[in-house]
Amino acid sequence: MQITETANDGLKRAYRLTIPASEIEDKIAAEVKKIAPQVRMAGFRPGKVPANLVRKMHGEQLHAQVVNDALRDSVDALIKDQQLRPAMQPRLTMGDGYAQGKDAELDVELEVLPEVTAPDLSGLKLEKLTVPVTDAQVDEALGNIASQQKSYTDAKKGHKAADGDQLIIDFTGSIDGVEFDGGKAEGAPLVLGSGQFIPGFEEQLTGAKAGEERTITVTFPADYAAEHLAGKEAQFAITVQAVKIAGESKLDDDFAKSLGIDNIEVLRGLIRGQLEQETAGLTRTQMKRQLLDMLAAGHDFAVPQGMVEAEFEQIWQQLQQEAARDENPAEAMKEIEAEKDDYRHIAERRVRLGLLLSEIGQQNGVEVSGQEMSMLIQQAAQQYREEDRQRFIQLIQSEPMAAAQLRAPLYEDKVVDFLFDKAEVSEREVTREELEAAIEAEEGAAAAPAKKAPAKKAAAKKPALKKTGGDEESTGKDAAPAADNPKKAPARKTAPKAEADDVTAAAAKKPAAKKTAAKKPAAKG
C-alpha cells in the first residue's frame, strides 16, 4: 500500500491510499483457494472444482469483498502508521475509474484530536454557595401541599359563589347557535379564581347559586389549540348543580396519615429532605459552571469542526422542537435564528471542555467501571419499549461511539467530582434567589461570545437519545388543551437557551487511537 498525504491543515488531514492491482489479485487468489473446498458444481467431486471455474462463478462477489476488506484494512493501517487520533469517522471516497485489474485508490479525509495539556490543579479555588432550609420554607411547602388536598363541602342554601368556591356545572357550548364538538360536559368541577377555564368564563359565574341556570358569552383566545375554536365568540348554557366551599386542612397527624405518612413530623422531615436535595442540586450546578468557566478561560485550543457541527446540530434540533411547541412558533423560531451564532459558540465550548475534561480524567485515572457501565445500560434500556430493549443493549455493546455517548455524562460527573475534591472550596450562605441569580449570570457569561452582552435565557436540557415509540423527552411537553375542555392553554416560555456546560457525549470520552469503525466503501466493477 502506498500512502500519499494530500492535505495537512490544522486538525484536518487528507491522504490518498493506493493498493496495487497485484496485491488485490493475490488476495482474490487466496480467497478462491480458501472457498474452493466448499464449492459444489455438477460433474465435479466435492472440493475438486478447478480454481478458474470457482473464480468464474464467484469472481465478481469475491473481487468486491476483497477490495472492500483491503480498503478497510488500509484505513486502519493508515491510522496506526501515522499515529492518528481521529475525532470522528473518516470520510472515504473511492477513486474514479476503478476497474478490475487496476490499482485501487481511496481518498481519506479526517480531523484529528488536538493535543490537550491537562492544567495544573494545585491552585484551583471554588466558592460553594449554600442555601439553608428554614422552618418557614418547610411550612410554606407544607401549606402548598395542604392547598392541593382541599376538601369541599356543600355550601348553605342560597350561598353565592365567590373566588375559592367550587362549582359543579353542566354546560353546553355553541357558536352562532350551533353546538360544537367537545363543548359539552356534565358534572364538571370548577374552582372560581383558579384560571382553569378560558378568560371570562369563571368571572361570569361569580355570585351563582346552586340550581341556577346562566348563559354566558366568551371569546376563545386567538392562539387556542383547537383551531376551529380559536378567536371565535361562543355561548355556554350553564346549569349549576352545586356550590361547595373549601374546608380548612389541619396540619396534624391525621393530615399526614391521609397522605400515607406516619405523622406530621415525619412529613415535615420528608419535605425538608426534598428541599435540601433541590438546593444541593442548584449548588452543584453553580459550582460546576464556575469550574468550567475557569477551565474554559484558561484554554483556547483548536477543536475539530466536525465535532462542533455535530454538537451544534443536536442543540439546533432541540431548539427547533421547542420552538415548534411554542404558543407562537414563528416568533420563537425567529428568536433562535437571530442567536444562531451564540449556539455555535456554545457547541464549540462544549466540545473543547469535553476534550479537556477527558484529558484531565485520563491523566488522573478517572474511569467508569464495568459494573457502572452495566448499570447505565440497564437503566437506559428501561426507557425503551420491552421489545426494543435487547436491540438497544446490542447496539451499545457493538458500537463504540454509542457506548461512549451513554458513558459520557457519568464520566463527566466523575471528573467534575475529582476536581471538586482537588479544589480549595470556600462556602458562603445565600438565599435561593441569590443562588439562582448566580447560576443565571454564569450561564449567560458562558453562552455569550466574547465582547457580547450575555443573553438571559431559560436553560434547556441537552437532547436525550430518542426513545422508540415514545416522546423524545419526558418533560417539557405541555399537552395541548383538548377541544372538549374550554380550559385555556398553559402559558409557555419562548424557546430556551441551551446550557453552555453540557459537555457533548462525543467529546467527553476520546475515541480509541488504534482503530476506527470506518464504513466499507462499495467497490466498483
Side-chain angles (χ1 to χ4, degrees):
M1 178 185 70
Q2 179 184 346
I3 301 174
T4 304
E5 186 177 70
T6 57
N8 188 329
D9 182 16
L11 300 178
K12 295 182 179 180
R13 304 284 187 275
Y15 302 88
R16 171 158 288 189
L17 308 183
T18 303
I19 304 172
S22 59
E23 184 178 327
I24 295 173
E25 177 59 29
D26 290 343
K27 289 179 180 292
I28 292 175
E31 282 296 316
V32 169
K33 185 177 180 180
K34 180 180 177 181
I35 69 169
Q38 286 82 43
V39 174
R40 300 289 184 268
M41 181 179 290
F44 296 93
R45 286 181 298 166
K48 298 301 182 179
V49 181
N52 64 321
L53 292 181
V54 174
R55 183 187 285 264
K56 186 175 181 179
M57 289 176 61
H58 302 286
E60 186 174 339
Q61 180 182 353
L62 285 174
H63 179 262
Q65 177 186 329
V66 164
V67 171
N68 281 329
D69 288 348
L71 294 176
R72 180 195 60 194
D73 293 343
S74 297
V75 172
D76 289 341
L78 166 70
I79 290 171
K80 182 178 180 180
D81 294 346
Q82 301 292 317
Q83 297 184 335
L84 301 174
R85 300 190 305 158
M88 301 180 72
Q89 289 188 357
R91 181 169 175 249
L92 310 179
T93 307
M94 192 76 171
D96 292 334
Y98 174 71
Q100 291 190 39
K102 297 180 64 176
D103 294 346
E105 293 184 335
L106 180 70
D107 290 322
V108 182
E109 298 178 19
L110 71 157
E111 285 185 290
V112 297
L113 292 170
E115 293 296 331
V116 181
T117 303
D120 179 10
L121 305 177
S122 59
L124 185 59
K125 295 182 179 181
L126 295 172
E127 183 180 44
K128 182 178 182 180
L129 303 183
T130 62
V131 178
V133 174
T134 65
D135 290 342
Q137 290 172 320
V138 174
D139 290 340
E140 181 182 358
L142 189 57
N144 290 336
I145 294 174
S147 67
Q148 295 167 8
Q149 301 293 322
K150 280 183 179 178
S151 59
Y152 291 90
T153 57
D154 288 334
K156 292 180 180 179
K157 187 176 181 179
H159 176 79
K160 295 182 178 181
D163 279 359
D165 290 346
Q166 184 188 64
L167 304 184
I168 306 300
I169 60 175
D170 301 335
F171 61 81
T172 300
S174 61
I175 296 177
D176 296 329
V178 179
E179 292 184 20
F180 54 84
D181 291 340
K184 190 172 184 178
E186 294 182 357
L190 168 62
V191 177
L192 295 185
S194 64
Q196 193 178 359
F197 282 24
I198 59 176
F201 194 103
E202 296 172 22
E203 291 83 348
Q204 295 183 63
L205 292 177
T206 299
K209 301 176 183 178
E212 184 177 343
E213 296 182 355
R214 288 191 181 187
T215 298
I216 65 174
T217 300
V218 293
T219 301
F220 283 93
D223 58 355
Y224 194 69
E227 293 184 4
H228 68 291
L229 300 177
K232 299 288 183 65
E233 184 178 86
Q235 292 73 43
F236 283 90
I238 298 170
T239 299
V240 180
Q241 289 187 7
V243 177
K244 297 174 177 288
I245 57 174
E248 290 188 12
S249 297
K250 292 184 178 180
L251 303 179
D252 54 16
D253 290 346
D254 289 338
F255 175 75
K257 289 175 182 177
S258 71
L259 300 176
I261 311 298
D262 289 342
N263 56 59
I264 192 66
E265 288 308 314
V266 173
L267 177 58
R268 290 180 63 87
L270 290 172
I271 292 173
R272 183 179 294 275
Q274 289 179 345
L275 292 174
E276 288 174 345
Q277 189 174 13
E278 287 178 14
T279 56
L282 291 172
T283 293
R284 178 181 171 82
T285 297
Q286 178 269 328
M287 281 186 68
K288 179 180 175 182
R289 288 186 176 167
Q290 183 187 165
L291 169 67
L292 296 183
D293 283 348
M294 289 181 179
L295 293 175
H299 298 83
D300 193 26
F301 52 84
V303 294
Q305 289 306 299
M307 295 178 74
V308 173
E309 188 61 28
E311 184 66 20
F312 171 76
E313 286 302 320
Q314 276 195 320
I315 295 171
W316 195 246
Q317 183 181 29
Q318 185 201 355
L319 290 168
Q320 287 179 314
Q321 291 169 350
E322 291 289 339
R325 296 195 294 266
D326 195 86
E327 288 183 349
N328 190 337
E331 186 63 31
M333 195 64 213
K334 183 178 178 182
E335 179 182 342
I336 65 172
E337 284 281 1
E339 298 177 339
K340 205 166 188 175
D341 288 345
D342 287 7
Y343 298 124
R344 288 194 183 278
H345 172 78
I346 291 171
E348 182 172 327
R349 170 187 163 100
R350 285 184 182 179
V351 172
R352 184 175 291 111
L353 284 171
L355 294 172
L356 183 57
L357 288 175
S358 179
E359 185 64 28
I360 293 171
Q362 291 181 23
Q363 290 291 327
N364 292 279
V366 178
E367 57 183 29
V368 175
S369 69
Q371 183 179 4
E372 289 172 327
M373 192 62 193
S374 295
M375 290 179 63
L376 278 178
I377 294 173
Q378 292 301 324
Q379 289 171 358
Q382 294 305 311
Q383 301 175 52
Y384 291 78
R385 297 185 304 190
E386 187 173 352
E387 59 268 30
D388 295 326
R389 288 174 189 168
Q390 193 55 42
R391 282 195 302 161
F392 168 78
I393 293 173
Q394 290 172 351
L395 170 69
I396 297 299
Q397 292 174 341
S398 62
E399 292 290 342
M401 292 300 290
Q405 185 179 33
L406 182 64
R407 182 192 300 109
L410 177 59
Y411 184 77
E412 177 189 329
D413 280 344
K414 295 188 77 167
V415 176
V416 168
D417 286 337
F418 167 79
L419 292 171
F420 285 168
D421 290 339
K422 295 287 290 185
E424 179 184 333
V425 180
S426 60
E427 293 192 16
R428 177 163 63 94
E429 282 191 7
V430 295
T431 64
R432 179 165 179 146
E433 291 72 23
E434 289 172 330
L435 177 55
E436 290 173 345
I439 293 172
E440 184 177 354
E442 289 167 358
E443 177 188 333
K451 298 182 181 179
K452 183 173 181 179
K456 292 186 178 180
K457 293 287 177 185
K461 291 184 179 179
K462 183 180 177 182
L465 286 172
K466 191 168 185 178
K467 313 300 187 298
T468 305
D471 287 344
E472 186 166 354
E473 293 178 353
S474 59
T475 60
K477 286 189 176 183
D478 293 336
D484 63 350
N485 190 348
K487 300 178 182 181
K488 68 178 181 180
R492 188 188 288 283
K493 297 180 180 178
T494 54
K497 189 78 148 186
E499 290 182 7
D501 64 349
D502 281 340
V503 175
T504 173
K509 188 68 174 174
K510 295 180 183 176
K514 293 182 181 178
K515 299 278 275 183
T516 178
K519 256 187 184 176
K520 295 182 181 180
K524 300 178 183 177

